[in-house]
Amino acid sequence: GKDVISCFESVCTADVKGLRNGTGTLTVFTNGKGGILDDLIVNRVADDTLYVVSNASRKETDMAVMSDAVANFKAQGKDVSVEFLSSDDQSLLALQGPSAVSVLQKLCTKDLSRLFFMNGTADQIAGVENCRITRCGYTGEDGVEISIPPRHAPAIAEALLDTKLGNLKLAGLGARDSLRLEAGLCLYGNDIDEETTPVEAGLLWLVAKQRRAENNFPGSDKINAQIKNGVTQRRVGFKMSPGSAPARQHVEVFDNEHQKIGEITSGCPSPCLQQNIAMGYIREESKKVGT
C-alpha cells in the first residue's frame, strides 16, 4: 500500500524512506523500553511494497507487531495491508563464501556483479522463475540469500552443489553459529532480547540518524537518552586463554577483585582463530581492553 513505509517505520528503527527501491537493511523492532523484539531484514521492493524476512523463532511476535501497526494505520484511513508467507509459500537458501556469487551467476540470467551488499533482485535460477536474490547473509562472508518456491528448493540446492560449478558444500547451523560468532554477529535470544537495547548491544548503527532525530519509534526516548548519557552495560567480545575451555552462555564474568561484572551470552571454538571465543555483556567501565 502507498502508506506502507510510514507504517513499517512506526515499529522499527530503520530509515526505510531513505532506501532506494531494490535495496534493504537490517533493522530491529523495539518495545516501549527500547528493548529489542527482533532483528530482521526489510527490503524496499517498490514505493508501495516491502519484503520482510524475520527470525523463525520470533515469528508470532513479529506478526503481531506488524498486524497491530497495519490495523492502527487502517483505522486512520491509510492504505496498507500485510501478507504473511509460511514455509509452504516460500523457502530460503543461504549461499555463503568468497565464491558464492560466481557459482550462482552460472545459473542466473542477470549480472550479479552489479548486485551490491543488501541489494536484491528477482531472477530465474536453474530455469526456476520468481526467485528473489539478496546479497546478504549471517556468516561475515560474501554471499546471498535466495527466496524461492518450496517445491523448487531441492532442485536449486542440487544444481548449486553440482561440482562442475564449484566446490560448494552443505553446512548446518553449528557451522553458521561459529562463523557468525567470529564475525561478532548477534543471535536473537542469546545476545539480544527484549531487555537489551541497541545501544547496549553495540547495534546503534541500526538506529538511523534520521529516526533518532524524528524520535518516533517505540522506545526512542530511552534509546536517545542512552546515546546522550551512556549505558551501564555493553556487549563485548572475548578470546579465551590458550588451552582453556570455551565459555558458554550464562557463564559469569568476574574482574581481578572477584567482583561479578557480566555474563557470557554466546561462546564456541573458533575454527579460523584456532582458539575459543565468546561474547557477552559486562559493566561499561570494564569494556576496554586491559581493564
Side-chain angles (χ1 to χ4, degrees):
K2 67 181 179 65
D3 297 306
V4 66
I5 292 176
S6 296
C7 179
F8 197 78
E9 282 195 349
S10 73
V11 292
C12 81
T13 61
D15 179 14
V16 185
K17 291 187 185 77
L19 291 176
R20 291 181 292 106
N21 291 340
T23 67
T25 186
L26 182 67
T27 187
V28 287
F29 285 162
T30 47
N31 59 28
K33 299 183 298 180
I36 300 171
L37 296 174
D38 196 15
D39 60 319
L40 58 169
I41 290 177
V42 54
N43 301 282
R44 179 168 169 166
V45 179
D47 290 347
D48 62 354
T49 307
L50 302 179
Y51 186 83
V52 181
V53 183
S54 71
N55 285 304
S57 65
R58 300 295 288 172
K59 178 176 69 173
E60 300 301 329
T61 297
D62 294 340
M63 289 169 67
V65 167
M66 288 184 272
S67 294
D68 289 348
V70 167
N72 181 44
F73 267 62
K74 280 187 171 180
Q76 302 173 49
K78 305 287 188 178
D79 175 25
V80 62
S81 63
V82 61
E83 177 187 5
F84 298 112
L85 303 177
S86 73
S87 54
D88 295 330
D89 303 310
Q90 212 73 6
S91 292
L92 193 70
L93 293 178
L95 179 61
Q96 300 286 291
S99 60
V101 174
S102 62
V103 169
L104 181 61
Q105 182 65 78
K106 298 170 186 175
L107 299 176
C108 290
T109 60
K110 291 185 178 178
D111 178 9
L112 299 184
S113 69
R114 306 301 299 170
L115 189 71
F116 302 117
F117 183 63
M118 293 309 299
N119 284 16
T121 188
D123 198 8
Q124 180 187 102
I125 301 176
V128 177
E129 302 284 353
N130 300 317
C131 299
R132 178 171 295 281
I133 305 167
T134 306
R135 196 151 193 173
C136 66
Y138 191 53
T139 61
E141 246 306 345
D142 191 14
V144 295
E145 291 188 344
I146 309 166
S147 188
I148 48 181
R151 66 184 183 278
H152 297 301
I156 291 178
E158 288 168 6
L160 289 166
L161 290 165
D162 190 322
T163 54
K164 293 193 294 290
L165 295 181
N167 188 31
L168 286 186
K169 295 178 181 178
L170 292 172
L173 293 178
R176 190 190 67 166
D177 194 49
S178 66
L179 288 165
R180 70 93 188 170
L181 189 50
E182 287 175 335
L185 304 178
C186 293
L187 176 63
Y188 194 89
N190 282 46
D191 313 302
I192 49 177
D193 58 28
E194 295 186 19
E195 300 301 318
T196 53
T197 71
V199 183
E200 295 168 331
L203 298 174
L204 186 55
W205 59 277
L206 295 182
V207 186
K209 290 184 178 180
Q210 177 66 28
R211 302 306 313 284
R212 299 178 209 175
E214 292 170 351
N215 196 34
N216 61 356
F217 58 87
S220 58
D221 286 340
K222 170 74 173 289
I223 291 171
N224 274 326
Q226 287 185 334
I227 294 171
K228 180 180 179 181
N229 303 319
V231 293
T232 58
Q233 65 171 359
R234 188 84 64 159
R235 181 175 63 94
V236 297
F238 299 94
K239 288 193 291 186
M240 302 298 108
S241 300
S244 62
R248 304 292 189 179
Q249 188 180 25
H250 301 311
V251 167
E252 295 178 333
V253 181
F254 295 84
D255 65 14
N256 291 333
E257 278 70 51
H258 308 292
Q259 298 294 312
K260 181 182 175 181
I261 59 170
E263 187 173 289
I264 299 296
T265 55
S266 290
C268 73
S270 165
C272 291
L273 295 175
Q274 292 293 295
Q275 67 183 111
N276 295 317
I277 60 173
M279 69 168 69
Y281 286 82
I282 61 173
R283 291 195 312 227
E284 175 74 1
E285 61 268 25
S286 302
K287 72 178 181 182
K288 291 183 179 179
V289 174
T291 52

